[in-house]
Amino acid sequence: MAREVTGRAGRAGSPQRGGPARARAASGAGWRTLAAAVTVALVAGCAAAPPAPTVTQASGAGQRSAAAAATATPNAAAAVRRWTLVNPGFESPVPSGRTDPAGWFSFQHAGVKSFEFTLDAADPHGGAQSLRIDNTGPEPYGAIAQAVDVGPHRGKVARFSGWMRTRDVAGTGAVLRMAALSGGAIVGENFMKGREVTGTTGWTRYTLALPMPDDAGRLEIGAMLQGKGTLWLDDVELEFVEP
């Protein structure tokens, strides 16, 4: 008669003691052995897996740069207020109340007419034309200007720039000009003193700055020819910045 053998093998020809209870115990031990083997295999597999990527942090100057970038303040340009000038490139064909370019007015030293103000299409800095000032008489200066209200910008610094070129300028010279006024009185000015342009020069960009006094009501910006020769002006800009 056939025998069912469970668990481990006994001595040949000897039946196992304990019967079914021993069989169940042996079966349980077998499952425990199998589970232990699976666990060992899983642990070994995890140990053999590639290491996870690591994050390398910048140190020293790199770390400080990263921190600075993370805490950077808004763009400094936010503190700059660009003023929209009228006809800054002298492109408008519409004259102002007189024969001056739109948005601008001209003046000269008292006396006989000594300066001509015209739009010139020959060799502008940008666009189709520039403003030209020609000395034609004995008076010492002639100027072109635009006035802006600076009430909201008192205490700030006005920064004015423009492109000029000259031909045969003699005397004090050609300049950009800024004048802050209260009523009719000048309370602040910048006429490029010490930087006047003489002789013949190509297109060059010049920049002036002028703090706005607390009592300033308006600001005049523009260019002035002091003496003989010809001055061209083009592509001007005005902005107000924090001091």
Side-chain angles (χ1 to χ4, degrees):
M1 181 175 69
R3 286 194 311 271
E4 181 179 358
V5 177
T6 61
R8 61 180 181 176
R11 291 192 300 272
S14 302
Q16 293 289 323
R17 295 182 181 179
R22 276 188 182 275
R24 284 196 299 271
S27 176
W31 280 112
R32 286 195 295 275
T33 301
L34 178 61
V38 171
T39 302
V40 169
L42 288 175
V43 170
C46 291
T54 58
V55 178
T56 303
Q57 292 184 331
S59 60
Q63 200 169 37
R64 289 192 295 272
S65 298
T71 59
T73 55
N75 194 328
V80 177
R81 167 71 188 276
R82 176 70 59 83
W83 188 274
T84 303
L85 294 168
V86 178
N87 195 21
F90 303 99
E91 300 300 315
S92 174
V94 180
S96 62
R98 302 183 296 175
T99 58
D100 295 321
W104 298 85
F105 63 94
S106 61
F107 60 94
Q108 66 159 59
H109 186 271
V112 299
K113 183 174 177 59
S114 297
F115 292 87
E116 294 287 344
F117 302 85
T118 57
L119 295 176
D120 190 354
D123 191 24
H125 172 263
Q129 55 196 13
S130 62
L131 177 84
R132 188 180 79 226
I133 306 175
D134 292 292
N135 172 253
T136 58
E139 298 305 324
Y141 68 80
I144 189 80
Q146 185 168 150
V148 300
D149 177 17
V150 297
H153 303 292
R154 293 188 185 105
K156 296 184 179 179
V157 175
R159 194 159 58 198
F160 173 56
S161 64
W163 291 83
M164 296 195 299
R165 71 181 179 98
T166 60
R167 182 178 64 202
D168 300 331
V169 171
T172 303
V175 298
L176 294 182
R177 64 180 294 272
M178 304 176 73
L181 296 99
S182 178
I186 293 178
V187 292
E189 64 181 25
N190 187 338
F191 288 6
M192 282 179 62
K193 186 174 178 60
R195 300 169 55 201
E196 297 88 350
V197 182
T198 58
T200 298
T201 62
W203 284 113
T204 304
R205 186 174 186 261
Y206 300 91
T207 300
L208 306 181
L210 181 65
M212 291 292 96
D214 292 338
D215 56 346
R218 76 179 191 275
L219 171 67
E220 290 183 3
I221 51 90
M224 180 165 59
L225 176 59
Q226 304 167 99
K228 304 295 184 182
T230 302
L231 161 66
W232 286 266
L233 176 68
D234 206 358
D235 297 330
V236 301
E237 295 180 351
L238 174 65
E239 59 191 15
F240 294 91
V241 299
E242 297 295 335

